[in-house]
């Protein structure tokens, strides 16, 4: 591979599918139960385990840094969802796994 082609490959982002994200969360939940999350983050071995299992199952080249970066995105999204759910005029439907709100309240929030 030429150096120009190699540079192009460096710029590509790892693309996460929903099944990959789901697998990441399942594995990390297991790891947390087994004590691999002694503080606010997981041990490096946990990220290696997720990357290895995703690489094998989905036939992709997933690296531990991809796992770590994706987890940060998931955590950010979760904080946003929690903030919305905690607003007094918003509710949640646990069966559908969705936030529920009237159209009027939604329109008002979007303007803000």
């Amino acid at each position: 591979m030429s150096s120009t082609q190699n540079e192009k490959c460096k710029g590509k982002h790892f693309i996460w599918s929903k099944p990959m994200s789901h697998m990441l969360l399942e594995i990390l939940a297991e790891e947390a139960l087994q004590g691999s999350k002694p503080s606010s983050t997981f041990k490096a071995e946990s990220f290696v385990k997720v990357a290895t299992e995703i690489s094998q199952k989905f036939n992709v080249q997933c690296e531990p840094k991809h796992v770590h970066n994706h987890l940060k995105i998931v955590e950010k999204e979760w904080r946003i969802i929690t903030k919305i759910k905690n607003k007094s005029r918003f509710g949640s439907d646990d069966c559908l796994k969705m936030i529920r709100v009237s159209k009027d309240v939604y329109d008002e929030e979007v303007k803000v």
Side-chain angles (χ1 to χ4, degrees):
M1 182 182 297
S2 71
S3 63
T4 308
Q5 287 174 326
N6 196 21
E7 288 174 17
K8 287 181 183 177
C9 291
K10 287 181 184 178
K12 291 186 178 181
H13 297 284
F14 186 82
I15 305 298
W16 287 85
S17 66
K18 288 200 183 281
M20 287 178 189
S21 292
H22 186 74
M23 185 175 188
L24 172 141
L25 294 174
E26 284 182 341
I27 295 170
L28 290 180
E30 278 181 32
E31 289 290 296
L33 290 173
Q34 294 173 0
S36 292
K37 187 180 180 207
S39 61
S40 63
T41 190
F42 288 88
K43 292 181 180 178
E45 297 86 27
S46 297
F47 295 131
V48 170
K49 181 177 182 178
V50 173
T52 301
E53 290 192 28
I54 286 176
S55 294
Q56 290 173 351
K57 180 169 182 166
F58 296 99
N59 196 29
V60 294
Q61 184 59 44
C62 182
E63 301 290 332
K65 67 181 178 182
H66 298 139
V67 174
H68 185 260
N69 290 339
H70 192 63
L71 182 60
K72 288 194 290 189
I73 291 168
V74 170
E75 289 171 339
K76 181 180 177 183
E77 290 172 350
W78 184 252
R79 283 191 297 277
I80 292 168
I81 290 167
T82 302
K83 183 178 178 180
I84 292 170
K85 282 177 63 175
N86 288 336
K87 290 189 175 220
S88 62
R89 299 185 297 170
F90 286 75
S92 63
D93 186 326
D94 291 333
C95 293
L96 295 175
K97 307 288 187 218
M98 295 175 65
I99 295 173
R100 298 191 67 123
V101 65
S102 71
K103 182 173 178 5
D104 295 338
V105 172
Y106 175 81
D107 290 342
E108 187 178 314
E109 283 290 324
V110 172
K111 288 180 186 176
V112 174

